[in-house]
Amino acid sequence: MTNVPQRPENGWPSEYVNAPLQLPRLQNRAPFSKAAIAGFIVGIVGLIVFAMAGPLATALSGIGFRNARDKGLRGRGLAIAGMILGVVDFAFYIVARFLLHS
């Protein structure tokens, strides 16, 4: 014999049938820092295109990080990733410039 509850013979109580669906409330979230998003995108594009976009990505991401910290905006992780991508992009550019032009 299983322990599965059986359906009542007279049907389910009407309080369960007519009960409104209770959904959790969505919290109002802070918007993203546009500078953090722009810095992250410029960092990715700089790595793909292999252009000297690293300093721009790092600067935009730094501004985005400061906005996220001071104004309570989201995007702090994107800003950190954009800074890392910008530094890596700039380092690749410098290494390639000296290796290819020497």
Side-chain angles (χ1 to χ4, degrees):
M1 187 95 199
T2 62
N3 292 334
V4 177
Q6 299 297 320
R7 182 173 182 234
E9 293 191 18
N10 59 354
W12 296 106
S14 63
E15 62 192 45
Y16 295 117
V17 174
N18 297 326
L21 181 62
Q22 297 293 326
L23 296 175
R25 289 186 169 246
L26 295 177
Q27 297 177 354
N28 292 335
R29 298 175 76 178
F32 271 98
S33 169
K34 291 175 180 54
I37 295 171
F40 181 72
I41 291 173
V42 168
I44 289 175
V45 169
L47 282 178
I48 293 172
V49 178
F50 202 65
M52 192 179 144
L56 178 62
T58 305
L60 285 172
S61 297
I63 293 169
F65 184 80
R66 189 176 337 120
N67 286 344
R69 184 189 60 203
D70 294 343
K71 297 179 183 177
L73 299 175
R74 293 175 16 194
R76 190 171 171 192
L78 281 176
I80 292 171
M83 283 188 263
I84 293 170
L85 288 172
V87 169
V88 169
D89 179 30
F90 188 65
F92 281 160
Y93 176 78
I94 295 298
V95 168
R97 183 171 173 102
F98 285 117
L99 288 180
L100 296 175
H101 295 298
S102 59

